[in-house]
């Protein structure tokens, strides 16, 4: 499961919780617009988020909920109890889907039915104003077998099936296969959603008959809007319901399906004969039929068929009679009706034919309200049901436990299982009886009452609950059972069931983490005071023993504090994949736009860094990747000409190097031409003529980081406005990072960012100057040396010294801070010199003395002091004094 | 190019995408006697399909793709 999905799930649960809460509050205060708006916002956001993933069922239900909430918000529909119920039910469904996603990572197509039902119910509440959106379902799958707007098969449009096809389908239907008539009316704007209805419809397997209708509304061809779908597809298929559900899961509201019974195919066709068949012949064969002389009947019919033209309607009808005798020998009424129809030469109206004596399966077929899903689900369900019930019986017949008495726990467990089972098979009305038997069993402390109840009740449960048999009666029962089960489910969930789904992650407000961070910072400072105290104990009060004990305690506190600090830092850590995951899409879009072929490789996505660092990285990285795509990688033709693969490679790699995160962006493009850079920089006045002459290639490449630099001649929406790399550099430096670039002409460019893992703790070196102490960030310090006065030379009024063969400029800290006092050398007349790296160059800063290095929590300065660029912040030291931390970069 | 427009024939190749519909309608209007050749065609996007159904141009060659042939036959009869 990817992070995005994880995030979605965790957020979505919050939203669901929020929606439920708001609905509850609305119940007490139904007129509150504020609550209503908030509720809408929740549903709206949740829908939007779900759209990022491939969960069509979830999005559809949420979309309907959103529409409904929008209507409520605008006062078109008033808030009501039913509305709240419906919304809660929809949210239960969404929550169930999320459980499934959490387990399996996807949603099954078996939810199409429920989602359609919920969507319809929600839309129904929207009423007439939005009638356009209400799908006109001929038959929708509903769990309880009720069709919303059912038309029976007899109202289907004529299909003109060839006789052989019709007979084949008839045989299929008789053999128990489901023949479905399917009508797919794509919504007019479907092309804009990237759908191809024709492609979709072609995926449906086992199509026996098909038809396409064009509802062209335009009067002339010129007016025809080709990008608005005007097609209607109709077909007959024997594909399984699961297969169709899966194929059509994105458009269930545009599909009408009708289960076609076998009889519908019995439709003789052909030219009607003026004369018709001889009445004597008809009387004859009817007589044979009534006397059950089937063989004579078939012989007579065969003879008649040989004599008459095969194109006649009557011939077709006779062939059908033969076909029926073969396939359904026991279905006398139908055969007789067809024989009698020979007189009128009209297909009998099968829907009017009452079929009381036919076997039950036929009845099922003939009923248009049969829901395919229900029957199938309950069949498999019933199998499990019986398995579980049998197991319970076994448990009940076990001998009593060692104590001699039946333990109440076991009985209760069996009782709970039974109740659950009966609810699952929609027989919640039995629950009362089970509970009664359970009570009895508990008081008697024996399993007998439960066993007796089971034996009695099991007899009738072996019969599957067939809605079709006694339609009205059971449907009502069934409905009652369902609502019962549903309301139970909901309250259970609110009760205890969601403990199972409780997530292991905790969402904490960042402010709280920051506060923790500050507290631990104070703790570190307080802890650092202990060594001073120990020192004082020894030097001022002369109690050596106490001093040692304080030091021992300090060691313990120090360990705990460091661990705490580490842990809190861990909490703030985030993987770089958080910013990496947007790159595949971005690279794809940009490379398409530029007509380049790019292969993006991401490495080290699991590398972690502090949240602030990761967030600060996001913008610079986007800049860099855009630059690489725009300026770095060449067009495919240019690449081929240069002897490279047409597809360019862009590698973004993150890795950890001790306490820093290293991010590299490497492309194998044309690289940076130092000459071009020099020229451009000179033209823009960034370097003078003399620099132009002597600047090295690497230094020239580094010029891309100079402010206002741009090589692009044309300003595109991608890059070229001169706010590229210098912005990157300052953004990276803001979080104490560094950025560098290496490039080889024709081979490619490598950009690397080095960032601290965390910004929380800074390691600084304390130095002394003019009787004051200052801090200097350790990551800038290259080395500390003591330079004898004699080694300091003055070149052009600037102090310098030669250090290991290199000329290093020297600056006095007192000068930098505008103090007039000279630096103090030590007794050997040597100056303490701090060599720092600033913009890749070494500079020596003369100070009075070095002190120790400490870990501090650096606080940026605020208010008026915030405007002082020479300092990066201040920190509290263990003895309570304030340490000003210098920022040599700005200072020099 | 998925549809090649020749003097009197529009030749459909492979997979005809959604963007072809407009040009096809235009061509069929300009060439009322123009024929359509589906021989090498494997699929036609619904947008182009509805143009074909609306105009029902004479067919120069049926598709080699059997399934598409059945559909087109039904659609353009």
């Amino acid at each position: 499961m990817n992070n995005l999905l994880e995030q979605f799930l965790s957020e979505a649960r919050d939203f669901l919780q929020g929606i439920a809460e708001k609905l509850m509050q609305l119940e007490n205060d139904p007129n509150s617009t504020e609550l209503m708006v908030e509720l809408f916002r929740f549903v709206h956001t949740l829908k939007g988020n779900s759209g990022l993933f491939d969960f069509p069922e979830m999005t559809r239900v949420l979309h309907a909920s959103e529409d409904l909430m929008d209507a409520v918000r605008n006062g078109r529909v008033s808030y009501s109890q039913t509305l709240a119920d419906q919304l809660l039910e929809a949210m239960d469904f969404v929550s169930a889907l999320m459980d499934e996603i959490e387990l399996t990572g996807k949603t099954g197509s078996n939810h199409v039915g429920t989602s359609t039902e919920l969507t319809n119910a929600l839309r129904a509440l929207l009423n007439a104003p939005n009638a356009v959106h209400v799908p006109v379902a001929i038959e929708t799958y509903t769990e309880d077998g009720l069709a919303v707007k059912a038309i029976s098969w007899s109202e289907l449009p004529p299909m003109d099936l060839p006789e052989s096809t019709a007979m084949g389908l008839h045989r299929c239907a008789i053999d128990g296969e489901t023949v479905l008539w399917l009508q797919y009316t794509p919504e007019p704007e479907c092309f804009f959603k990237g759908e191809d209805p024709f492609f979709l419809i072609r995926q449906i397997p086992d199509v026996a008959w098909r038809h396409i209708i064009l509802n062209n509304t335009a009067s002339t061809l010129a007016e025809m809007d080709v990008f608005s779908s005007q097609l209607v597809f109709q077909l007959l298929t024997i594909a399984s319901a699961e297969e169709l559900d899966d194929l059509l899961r994105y458009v269930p509201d545009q599909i009408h399906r009708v289960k076609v019974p076998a009889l519908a195919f019995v439709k003789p066709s052909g030219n009607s004969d003026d004369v018709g068949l001889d009445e004597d012949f008809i009387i004859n064969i009817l007589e044979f039929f009534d006397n059950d002389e089937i063989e004579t009947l078939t012989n007579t019919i065969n003879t008649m068929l040989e004599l008459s033209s095969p194109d006649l309607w009557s011939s077709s009808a006779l062939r059908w009679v033969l076909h029926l005798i073969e396939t359904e020998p026991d279905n006398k009424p139908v055969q007789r009706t067809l024989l009698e129809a020979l007189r009128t030469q009209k297909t009998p109206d099968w829907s009017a034919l009452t079929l009381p004596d036919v076997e039950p399966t036929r009845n099922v077929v003939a009923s248009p309200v049969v829901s395919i899903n229900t029957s199938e689900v309950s069949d498999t369900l019933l199998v499990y049901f019986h398995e579980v019930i049998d197991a319970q019986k076994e448990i009940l017949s076990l001998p009593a436990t060692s104590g001699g008495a039946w333990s109440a726990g076991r009985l209760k467990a069996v009782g709970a299982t039974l109740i659950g089972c009966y609810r699952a098979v929609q027989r919640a009305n039995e629950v009362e009886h089970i509970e009664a038997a359970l009570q009895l069993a508990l008081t008697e402390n024996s399993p007998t009452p439960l066993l007796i109840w089971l034996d009695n009740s099991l007899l009738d449960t072996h019969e599957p609950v067939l809605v079709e048999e006694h339609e009205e009666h059971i449907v009502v029962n069934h409905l009652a059972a369902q609502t019962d089960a549903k309301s139970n489910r909901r309250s259970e969930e609110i009760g205890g069931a969601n403990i199972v789904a409780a997530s292991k992650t905790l969402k904490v407000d960042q402010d709280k983490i920051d506060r923790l961070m500050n507290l631990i910072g104070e703790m570190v400072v307080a802890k650092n005071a202990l060594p001073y105290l120990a020192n004082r104990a020894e030097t001022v009060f002369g109690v050596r023993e106490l001093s040692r004990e304080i030091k021992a305690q300090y060691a313990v506190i120090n360990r705990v504090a460091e661990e705490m600090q580490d842990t809190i830092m861990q909490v703030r850590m985030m993987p770089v994949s958080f910013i990496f995951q947007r790159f595949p899409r971005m690279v794809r879009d940009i490379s398409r736009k530029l007509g380049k072929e790019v292969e993006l490789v991401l490495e080290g996505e699991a590398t972690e860094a502090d949240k602030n660092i990761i967030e600060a990285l996001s913008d610079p990285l986007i800049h860099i990747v855009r630059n690489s795509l725009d300026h770095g990688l060449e067009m495919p033709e240019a690449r081929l000409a240069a002897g490279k693969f047409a597809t360019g490679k862009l590698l973004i790699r993150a890795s950890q190097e001790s306490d820093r995160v290293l991010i590299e962006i490497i492309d194998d493009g044309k690289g940076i031409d130092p000459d071009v850079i020099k020229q451009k920089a000179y033209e823009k006045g960034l370097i003078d003529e003399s620099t132009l002459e002597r600047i090295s290639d690497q230094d020239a490449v580094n010029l891309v980081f100079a402010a206002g630099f741009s090589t692009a001649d044309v300003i595109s929406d991608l890059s070229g406005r001169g706010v590229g790399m210098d912005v990157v550099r300052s953004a990276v430096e803001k979080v104490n990072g560094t950025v560098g670039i290496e490039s080889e002409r024709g081979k490619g460019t490598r950009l690397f960012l080095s960032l601290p893992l965390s910004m929380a703790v800074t390691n600084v070196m304390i130095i002394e100057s003019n009787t004051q102490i200052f801090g200097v960030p350790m990551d800038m310090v290259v080395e500390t040396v003591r330079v004898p006065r004699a080694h300091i030379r003055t070149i052009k009024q600037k102090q310098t010294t030669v250090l290991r063969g290199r000329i290093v400029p020297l600056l006095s800290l007192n000068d930098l801070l505008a103090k007039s006092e000279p630096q103090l050398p030590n007794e050997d007349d040597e100056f303490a010199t701090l060599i720092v790296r600033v913009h890749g160059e070494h500079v020596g800063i003369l100070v009075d003395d070095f002190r120790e290095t400490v870990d501090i929590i650096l606080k940026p300065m605020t208010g008026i002091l915030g405007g002082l660029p020479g300092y990066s912040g201040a920190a509290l030291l263990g003895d309570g004094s304030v340490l000003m931390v210098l920022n040599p970069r700005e200072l020099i | 190019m998925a549809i090649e427009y020749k003097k009197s024939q529009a030749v459909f190749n492979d997979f005809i995408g959604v963007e072809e519909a407009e040009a096809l309608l235009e061509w069929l209007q300009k060439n009322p006697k123009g024929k359509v050749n589906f021989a090498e065609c494997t699929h036609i996007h619904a947008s182009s399909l509805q143009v074909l159904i609306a105009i029902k141009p004479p067919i120069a060659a049926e598709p080699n793709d059997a399934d598409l042939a059945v559909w087109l036959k039904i659609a353009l009869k």
Side-chain angles (χ1 to χ4, degrees):
Chain A
M1 203 184 298
N2 64 26
N3 292 346
L4 201 60
L5 184 55
E6 260 170 40
Q7 206 172 341
F8 164 69
L9 286 176
S10 103
E11 272 178 18
R13 288 205 192 278
D14 290 350
F15 278 126
L16 287 178
Q17 184 75 32
I19 292 169
E21 259 168 39
K22 292 283 172 275
L23 277 170
M24 294 300 149
Q25 288 172 14
L26 266 176
E27 253 164 42
N28 298 330
D29 184 9
N31 295 321
S32 161
T33 17
E34 203 179 305
L35 282 172
M36 212 77 87
V37 170
E38 209 148 318
L39 186 57
F40 169 77
R41 196 173 55 79
F42 278 155
V43 179
H44 174 73
T45 319
L46 189 54
K47 183 212 91 176
N49 289 352
S50 79
L52 291 172
F53 306 95
D54 188 22
F55 308 135
E57 291 84 13
M58 187 188 287
T59 312
R60 198 174 310 124
V61 169
L62 287 170
H63 191 102
S65 311
E66 184 198 8
D67 284 354
L68 183 57
M69 279 323 298
D70 190 37
V72 173
R73 186 180 62 155
N74 296 331
R76 277 182 286 137
V77 175
S78 59
Y79 176 83
S80 68
Q81 194 67 43
T82 26
L83 189 141
D85 279 347
Q86 203 60 55
L87 271 176
L88 277 175
E89 198 171 310
M91 295 311 137
D92 280 351
F93 172 71
V94 172
S95 164
L97 282 180
M98 283 199 297
D99 289 344
E100 190 177 326
I101 295 166
E102 205 151 28
L103 282 176
T104 62
K106 56 183 170 49
T107 57
S109 57
N110 50 330
H111 299 295
V112 176
T114 327
S115 85
T116 317
E117 175 199 1
L118 284 169
T119 314
N120 287 344
L122 290 166
R123 298 260 187 242
L125 287 170
L126 261 179
N127 279 334
N130 254 1
V132 200
H133 288 295
V134 182
V136 192
I138 290 185
E139 185 202 32
T140 46
Y141 289 144
T142 57
E143 264 183 302
D144 46 31
L146 279 180
V148 178
K149 228 182 171 184
I151 67 156
S152 83
W153 55 270
S154 53
E155 290 165 46
L156 289 181
M159 286 177 259
D160 293 329
L161 291 170
E163 197 175 289
S164 54
T165 316
M167 281 184 181
L169 287 169
H170 176 254
R171 199 184 292 267
C172 283
I174 293 290
D175 291 345
E177 277 186 70
T178 313
V179 182
L180 279 177
W181 179 86
L182 200 134
Q183 173 167 296
Y184 172 29
T185 317
E187 51 182 357
E189 60 272 23
C190 72
F191 296 159
F192 294 103
K193 298 183 179 173
E195 290 173 16
D196 181 359
F198 185 42
F199 188 80
L200 184 66
I201 209 89
R202 280 185 68 189
Q203 305 307 307
I204 296 176
D206 304 323
V207 176
W209 170 87
R210 60 200 96 199
H211 188 53
I212 307 179
I213 303 166
L214 180 74
N215 286 327
N216 194 357
T217 42
S219 48
T220 64
L221 279 177
E223 280 170 33
M224 181 172 172
D225 181 2
V226 292
F227 295 120
S228 134
S229 173
Q230 297 146 19
L231 295 167
V232 180
F233 299 92
Q234 293 172 340
L235 52 82
L236 279 174
T237 173
I238 49 171
S240 69
E242 294 97 62
E243 234 172 324
L244 289 176
D245 277 347
D246 202 35
L247 275 172
L248 306 171
R249 60 192 295 203
Y250 290 93
V251 289
D253 50 342
Q254 297 159 28
I255 302 282
H256 306 157
R257 336 182 185 197
V258 179
K259 189 168 174 176
V260 189
L263 263 188
F265 298 111
V266 184
K267 206 169 188 185
S269 56
N271 309 326
S272 35
D273 191 347
D274 291 340
V275 196
L277 284 171
D278 188 25
E279 180 65 25
D280 288 346
F281 172 78
I282 296 174
I283 291 174
N284 252 340
I285 55 171
L286 278 175
E287 208 169 289
F288 293 139
F289 181 80
D290 290 340
N291 296 337
D292 218 7
E293 298 168 38
I294 301 301
E295 209 169 306
T296 332
L297 177 70
T298 47
N299 287 339
T300 323
I301 292 178
N302 276 328
T303 323
M304 190 63 193
L305 279 174
E306 274 166 34
L307 290 173
S308 46
S309 154
D311 297 337
L312 289 178
W313 189 93
S314 53
S315 308
S316 172
L318 286 174
R319 283 194 295 271
W320 268 109
V321 171
L322 289 179
H323 177 81
L324 285 174
I325 290 173
E326 186 199 330
T327 54
E328 291 185 281
D330 302 327
N331 199 348
K332 298 289 179 204
V334 172
Q335 293 167 15
R336 187 172 170 99
T337 317
L338 188 57
L339 284 172
E340 273 170 9
L342 286 168
R343 289 198 175 109
T344 55
Q345 301 211 18
K346 277 201 181 100
T347 308
D349 181 4
W350 297 119
S351 57
L353 184 68
T354 45
L355 305 155
D357 308 323
V358 209
E359 70 263 48
T361 48
R362 296 300 321 280
N363 202 350
V364 172
V365 171
S367 156
V369 291
V370 181
S371 125
I372 301 157
N373 267 355
T374 314
S375 57
E376 271 168 8
V377 168
S378 56
D379 275 352
T380 45
L381 204 65
L382 275 176
V383 174
Y384 291 122
F385 172 77
H386 287 296
E387 263 176 36
V388 177
I389 297 293
D390 287 344
Q392 301 310 312
K393 271 167 103 178
E394 224 168 277
I395 293 171
L396 289 174
S397 32
L398 285 173
T401 41
S402 53
W406 255 78
S407 66
R410 203 192 277 181
L411 287 172
K412 276 184 192 158
V414 171
T417 315
L418 290 177
I419 293 174
C421 284
Y422 275 85
R423 275 206 186 120
V425 294
Q426 324 288 357
R427 289 173 59 119
N429 45 345
E430 301 282 1
V431 170
E432 271 176 51
H433 305 293
I434 301 175
E435 274 167 359
L438 177 63
Q439 277 309 319
L440 200 62
L442 282 173
T443 42
E444 286 181 18
N445 196 13
S446 106
T448 332
L450 272 174
L451 265 177
I452 294 172
W453 183 85
L454 261 182
D455 285 339
N456 289 342
S457 70
L458 217 55
L459 295 175
D460 48 298
T461 55
H462 270 291
E463 297 293 316
V465 192
L466 272 186
V467 185
E468 303 79 43
E469 285 185 353
H470 343 266
E471 228 160 280
E472 296 219 0
H473 172 66
I474 297 221
V475 164
V476 173
N477 246 346
H478 187 99
L479 257 184
Q482 256 225 328
T483 37
D484 194 19
K486 267 181 192 155
S487 57
N488 266 320
R489 190 184 62 203
R490 191 182 300 162
S491 53
E492 268 164 32
E493 261 166 38
I494 292 166
N498 54 4
I499 292 169
V500 187
S503 74
K504 269 188 273 174
T505 52
L506 208 62
K507 261 175 86 177
V508 184
D509 196 34
Q510 202 190 330
D511 287 349
K512 288 187 184 160
I513 304 270
D514 287 346
R515 183 155 165 65
L516 257 181
M517 200 76 201
N518 286 338
L519 285 172
I520 187 71
E522 279 175 39
M523 171 100 165
V524 168
V525 171
K527 166 206 82 175
N528 283 345
L530 286 177
Y532 286 92
L533 186 62
N535 221 12
R536 268 166 63 87
E538 194 176 335
T539 54
V540 181
F541 303 103
V543 210
R544 198 147 196 193
E545 201 66 6
L546 182 63
S547 159
R548 200 173 301 138
E549 267 178 47
I550 293 177
K551 275 182 184 158
Q553 278 304 313
Y554 168 72
V556 176
I557 297 176
N558 188 38
R559 183 175 56 79
V560 176
E562 272 178 8
E563 225 165 279
M564 264 171 80
Q565 196 173 10
D566 217 43
T567 316
I568 294 170
M569 228 107 91
Q570 288 292 328
V571 172
R572 291 177 51 98
M573 290 290 210
M574 268 169 95
V576 289
S577 60
F578 183 76
I579 34 177
F580 276 18
Q581 65 191 6
R582 74 179 75 166
F583 286 128
R585 175 68 199 273
M586 197 185 104
V587 169
R588 186 186 151 276
D589 287 357
I590 295 181
S591 57
R592 280 275 173 86
K593 205 176 203 170
L594 297 170
K596 294 180 181 175
E597 291 169 27
V598 182
E599 180 200 359
L600 175 72
V601 183
L602 298 174
E603 280 179 19
E605 288 163 281
T607 313
E608 286 190 328
D610 188 87
K611 183 168 183 280
N612 286 350
I613 304 276
I614 294 282
E615 278 167 0
L617 251 182
S618 146
D619 281 346
L621 266 184
I622 289 178
H623 263 302
I624 295 172
V625 170
R626 273 190 190 163
N627 262 327
S628 285
L629 290 171
D630 202 9
H631 306 306
L633 296 165
E634 314 93 323
M635 299 299 281
E637 306 86 59
R639 291 185 60 88
L640 286 172
K644 303 189 213 177
F645 290 114
T647 307
K649 190 172 168 185
L650 184 65
L651 171 69
I652 306 179
R653 181 199 289 149
S655 53
Q656 195 179 336
E657 258 181 24
S658 67
D659 62 341
R660 293 185 86 80
V661 189
L662 190 69
I663 294 184
E664 296 164 279
I665 300 96
I666 304 169
D667 68 58
D668 65 346
K670 60 176 179 248
I672 298 174
D673 188 341
D675 297 337
V676 175
I677 302 284
K678 282 183 209 167
Q679 200 54 43
K680 287 272 176 187
Y682 175 63
E683 278 168 22
K684 300 213 170 181
L686 294 171
I687 51 171
D688 53 30
E689 227 160 306
S690 60
T691 323
L692 178 67
E693 289 302 316
R694 58 181 165 77
I695 193 167
S696 74
D697 281 0
Q698 178 59 44
D699 288 344
V701 169
N702 277 338
L703 281 173
V704 297
F705 291 117
F709 184 86
S710 170
T711 49
D713 298 321
V714 187
I715 292 179
S716 68
D717 59 342
L718 286 174
S719 46
R721 268 169 297 214
V723 284
M725 301 309 279
D726 63 315
V727 176
V728 169
R729 172 145 98 171
S730 57
V732 171
E733 280 175 357
K734 211 176 263 174
V735 292
N736 278 328
T738 54
V739 55
I741 190 164
E742 280 171 8
S743 181
E744 202 176 331
R745 208 179 309 178
K747 290 267 177 66
T749 309
R750 172 173 171 267
L751 251 148
F752 46 94
L753 312 176
S754 165
L755 298 143
L757 275 184
S758 161
M759 295 168 39
V761 174
T762 322
N763 192 230
V764 296
M765 174 163 202
I766 299 182
I767 48 153
E768 207 183 305
S769 187
N770 193 23
T771 67
Q772 257 191 299
I773 53 165
F774 297 97
V776 178
M778 269 307 272
D779 50 355
M780 296 193 69
V781 178
V782 183
E783 61 179 326
T784 54
V785 288
R786 293 201 183 261
V787 183
R789 191 190 291 272
H791 288 193
I792 297 177
R793 307 272 163 81
T794 307
I795 304 175
K796 282 191 188 170
Q797 291 153 4
K798 295 212 169 128
Q799 290 183 308
T800 53
T801 190
V802 178
L803 199 66
R804 285 186 217 107
R806 273 174 81 166
I807 298 175
V808 178
L810 295 176
L811 298 163
S812 141
L813 185 59
N814 283 351
D815 278 352
L816 292 172
L817 296 174
K819 301 267 182 183
S820 50
E821 288 86 355
Q823 297 301 150
L824 300 173
N826 64 359
E827 44 284 14
D828 298 335
D829 209 20
E830 289 168 338
F831 287 101
T833 309
L834 202 62
I835 309 291
V836 292
R837 190 192 294 116
V838 177
H839 297 328
E841 282 183 49
H842 289 186
V843 179
I845 298 178
L846 299 179
V847 297
D848 289 358
D849 203 0
F850 305 124
R851 296 257 197 109
E852 73 275 28
T853 62
V854 282
D855 282 342
I856 49 141
I857 311 273
L858 187 63
K859 303 270 170 183
M861 291 197 282
T862 50
I864 298 172
L865 290 177
L868 290 175
Y871 298 94
S872 51
L876 264 186
L877 285 180
D879 59 354
S881 61
V882 174
L883 179 73
M884 300 297 283
V885 179
L886 299 169
N887 182 358
R889 228 178 250 130
E890 295 287 337
L891 209 54
I892 295 171
Chain B
M1 180 96 179
I3 305 183
E4 254 176 273
Y5 296 106
K6 298 192 172 164
K7 220 181 248 172
S8 64
Q9 245 189 37
V11 181
F12 289 61
N13 290 315
D14 300 334
F15 198 101
I16 311 300
V18 62
E19 66 281 353
E20 303 283 343
E22 216 156 26
L24 178 66
L25 178 65
E26 215 169 284
W27 188 83
L28 286 172
Q29 278 175 287
K30 270 190 204 151
N31 304 280
K33 286 181 184 164
K35 289 185 177 181
V36 281
N37 182 335
F38 298 121
E40 295 304 320
C41 183
T42 50
H43 181 75
I44 300 175
H45 189 278
S47 56
S48 295
L49 181 71
Q50 62 182 16
V51 171
L52 290 171
I53 297 176
I55 297 178
K56 293 204 172 66
I59 297 174
E62 291 200 2
N64 296 330
D65 184 307
D67 180 64
L68 183 64
V70 175
W71 276 104
L72 285 184
K73 206 169 171 184
I74 301 282
L76 303 182
K77 72 178 173 201

